[in-house]
Amino acid sequence: VQLQASGGGLVQAGGSLRLSCAASGRPLWNYDMSWFRQAPGKEREFVAANSRSGIAKRYADSVKGRFAISRDNGKNTMYLQMNSLKPEDTAVYYCSTGPYGSTEWSRMDYWGKGTQVTVSS
């Protein structure tokens, strides 16, 4: 499966962005999906995960209540709605396939090219 993340940009603190992850090659419903992010000089970290049915969802504590993961299997696309953005959310955001129960980037199988999110104070 090929993944392509998009929707990043520059936004002021308190603003919102919606990221998309478009899949091609295989149906998205085959996969549990996750979002990760990587800030300069830091390790890639887990942000959110969505089971293949779209029902089960989990979030990193740092984004809980502000971010929402969702998917549209009919459109083969996953989303990350990001609200109340903070400067510390600045990072390159990546979508991936991998076990729903894992928050470790090394356990993910496929990765899309990232999309840059920059939040100004």
Side-chain angles (χ1 to χ4, degrees), residues 11-89:
V11 64
Q12 287 189 331
S16 298
L17 282 174
R18 188 194 197 202
L19 306 184
S20 298
C21 175
S24 60
R26 301 188 78 170
L28 200 62
W29 52 258
N30 279 332
Y31 302 97
D32 297 332
M33 302 285 294
S34 295
W35 287 98
F36 283 75
R37 67 186 181 186
Q38 188 165 18
K42 294 188 176 181
E43 282 203 356
R44 195 167 295 190
E45 65 174 2
F46 169 78
V47 175
N50 194 191
S51 65
R52 61 193 66 196
S53 69
I55 295 175
K57 302 176 184 183
R58 58 189 299 196
Y59 299 92
D61 288 343
S62 58
V63 306
K64 204 171 292 183
R66 300 187 298 121
F67 289 13
I69 190 171
S70 63
R71 64 164 69 196
D72 186 335
N73 285 339
K75 294 183 178 180
N76 241 28
T77 303
M78 177 178 68
Y79 305 98
L80 185 68
Q81 178 66 44
M82 306 187 296
N83 300 325
S84 302
L85 282 162
K86 304 175 181 180
E88 52 263 43
D89 294 318

